[in-house]
Amino acid sequence: MAALVSEYTLEFFTLLNARGKKELIEWCMKEGLIASSYECPNCNEQMRLNERKSVVLDGFEWRCRKKGVNAHDVCRSLRKNSWFSNIIDWFMFCREVCMNAVVNESVKIGGVNVIVEIDESKFGKMKYGKGKPVDGKWVFGGIERGTNRCFFRVVERRTKEELLCVIKEWVLPGSTIVSDCWKAYKCLSDEGFKHLEVNHSVCFKDHDTGAHTNSIEGTWSAIKRFLRNHTSHAEGMFDHYLAEYLWRRSRDHSLSDETFRDFLKAVITLYPPLGKDQQ
């Protein structure tokens, strides 16, 4: 019955689980999440998939048992040298997968006649739970208006040199860049970009040019809402939480079957199963 239901759906996995661990294991092998074969470290021959329901968690294990010369009895978990063998903190490893995927999927944004909004925002702790952030990280970002393409990078300082380096890395020459009046951006017109400014101390949209940074400003609010529940856990892990948000954003925060399929592909890319012991 499971074969008649589209994969990567809750119904599919419910049916798959009901049919037993063997079919679930075979599916994981087919998808490349775990090794479909395993080499014995003693004799270098292929180990046999052995059922041991009462002994091992998965109900099956790799086993190679030989008598006589080079006698041995070697067992290996099906999770050995796969993503599943590394999971101590499930969410931490999921965020690591997101981070790797975000890096691999990153492309330059903008181009001639394309508008890119840029801005920086401080992510930090509040003193006594109120007031301005007194400690934290500066994040510099850019959004290509009209698309879902963007970049966000943690920066040490908001200097001209550091921000311009990020802009040149992620924004295509000839782009129309819209920013606030931060002094570090004053050089953009001399660096191959068309530059428009909006003075936020006066208005949120320039009356003459129509320039505004509403898209990037709205995104800062969305990111901070997303991170709000993780504040106490994000110490030293800020990049991972930001990567999770960006990965979800790139898929419109969808919980679709396609999103789940993309995540599994990202898992396999970062943790391809190895069918033998590592040296």
Side-chain angles (χ1 to χ4, degrees):
M1 184 182 297
L4 301 178
V5 178
S6 176
E7 295 187 9
Y8 309 103
T9 65
L10 181 59
E11 183 181 4
F12 171 79
F13 286 105
T14 300
L15 291 171
L16 192 61
N17 184 60
R19 296 187 64 164
K21 290 185 177 180
K22 181 68 178 296
E23 189 157 337
L24 180 59
I25 289 169
E26 290 174 346
W27 184 85
C28 288
M29 289 179 174
K30 177 176 72 72
E31 293 298 316
L33 291 169
I34 60 176
S36 58
S37 62
Y38 205 93
E39 182 181 294
C40 175
N42 283 50
C43 64
N44 297 327
E45 294 184 10
Q46 293 301 309
M47 303 178 76
R48 184 170 59 89
L49 189 62
N50 186 56
E51 185 173 11
R52 300 188 72 188
K53 291 182 178 180
S54 61
V55 180
V56 295
L57 176 65
D58 300 316
F60 291 84
E61 65 181 0
W62 296 113
R63 189 172 188 180
C64 182
R65 182 163 52 182
K66 295 288 177 64
K67 297 181 180 180
V69 180
N70 191 25
H72 59 269
D73 188 359
V74 177
C75 297
R76 290 291 183 268
S77 167
L78 297 182
R79 306 178 188 219
K80 181 77 172 176
N81 292 326
S82 76
W83 184 55
F84 297 105
S85 67
N86 294 311
I87 295 176
I88 300 172
D89 182 334
W90 179 274
F91 292 109
M92 181 188 73
F93 275 90
C94 286
R95 292 185 187 103
E96 186 177 20
V97 169
C98 290
M99 175 173 281
N100 189 68
V102 166
V103 171
N104 290 339
E105 295 169 3
S106 294
V107 295
K108 285 192 172 186
I109 65 175
V112 177
N113 296 324
V114 178
I115 296 175
V116 175
E117 300 177 21
I118 62 172
D119 194 27
E120 342 82 47
S121 186
K122 185 73 173 288
F123 289 74
K125 299 177 180 178
M126 303 293 185
K127 189 174 183 180
Y128 308 121
K130 57 185 179 180
K132 294 183 178 180
V134 295
D135 187 26
K137 294 180 179 291
W138 279 104
V139 178
F140 177 51
I143 290 181
E144 182 179 291
R145 193 180 293 175
T147 74
N148 209 21
R149 301 203 301 170
C150 62
F151 72 85
F152 290 91
R153 291 292 179 271
V154 176
V155 293
E156 292 295 325
R157 296 171 300 278
R158 296 185 299 155
T159 62
K160 166 188 169 182
E161 292 74 20
E162 188 159 357
L163 298 186
L164 183 59
C165 181
V166 177
I167 291 170
K168 287 186 173 181
E169 181 180 3
W170 293 108
V171 183
L172 290 167
S175 301
T176 299
I177 296 180
V178 183
S179 73
D180 59 20
C181 295
W182 178 240
K183 59 184 179 181
Y185 302 138
K186 299 297 183 182
C187 65
L188 291 178
S189 295
D190 299 324
E191 298 291 342
F193 304 102
K194 182 179 179 181
H195 184 213
L196 300 176
E197 290 182 326
V198 54
N199 188 343
H200 286 154
S201 64
V202 176
C203 60
F204 290 102
K205 183 176 182 178
D206 189 276
H207 299 300
D208 296 324
T209 65
H212 67 82
T213 56
N214 295 345
S215 299
I216 186 77
E217 296 289 349
T219 301
W220 291 134
S221 298
I223 293 175
K224 289 178 179 180
R225 283 196 303 271
F226 178 82
L227 296 177
R228 192 171 296 148
N229 293 330
H230 304 303
T231 303
S232 60
H233 307 291
E235 195 69 31
M237 297 286 292
F238 180 83
D239 291 2
H240 289 72
Y241 285 100
L242 181 59
E244 179 189 353
Y245 173 83
L246 294 178
W247 190 87
R248 290 177 181 271
R249 182 184 187 278
S250 68
R251 287 150 179 86
D252 295 319
H253 300 277
S254 169
L255 298 177
S256 68
D257 303 339
E258 186 64 32
T259 299
F260 182 53
R261 184 182 294 109
D262 285 348
F263 182 75
L264 290 184
K265 289 178 180 177
V267 168
I268 297 166
T269 298
L270 184 59
Y271 292 104
L274 184 64
K276 61 181 180 179
D277 285 4
Q278 292 179 309
Q279 300 299 319

